Amino acid sequence: MQLSAPQVAIKWKLAHLMLEQDIKTGDLAEVTGLHPGTISKLKACRVMPKRLDRDTFEKLCQALKCTPGDLLVIE
């Protein structure tokens, strides 16, 4: 009998960080150069987005003055 590995959830904390830092979607879009719709979609995610461009990830980290570990939490 094979034992299956437990599922690991990688939580996406963008909405939490934005709330914590009191940053609105439009403000983050302006600072990062990303479209407000892109920010809204990423903000709505509760688990790591399936497709996350490295450039987008870096822009978010720079704008929020955080590390990747602040945006992604393994639970």
Side-chain angles (χ1 to χ4, degrees):
M1 175 182 6
Q2 282 187 321
L3 296 176
S4 60
Q7 287 287 342
V8 175
I10 301 176
K11 301 288 183 170
W12 179 244
K13 303 296 231 174
L14 179 61
H16 177 78
L17 282 178
M18 288 177 66
L19 181 64
E20 196 175 76
Q21 296 185 25
D22 194 29
I23 297 177
K24 307 285 186 258
T25 300
D27 296 335
L28 187 56
E30 189 174 315
V31 172
T32 60
L34 299 170
H35 191 277
T38 300
I39 299 294
S40 290
K41 287 178 185 176
L42 290 171
K43 184 179 173 183
C45 292
R46 296 296 175 242
V47 295
M48 182 180 175
K50 289 183 182 186
R51 291 179 38 166
L52 183 61
D53 182 76
R54 180 182 175 156
D55 186 53
T56 300
F57 196 47
E58 288 174 353
K59 287 178 181 181
L60 291 171
C61 286
Q62 288 176 340
L64 295 168
K65 296 177 180 67
C66 70
T67 66
D70 296 325
L71 282 169
L72 299 172
V73 178
I74 297 176
E75 292 184 354

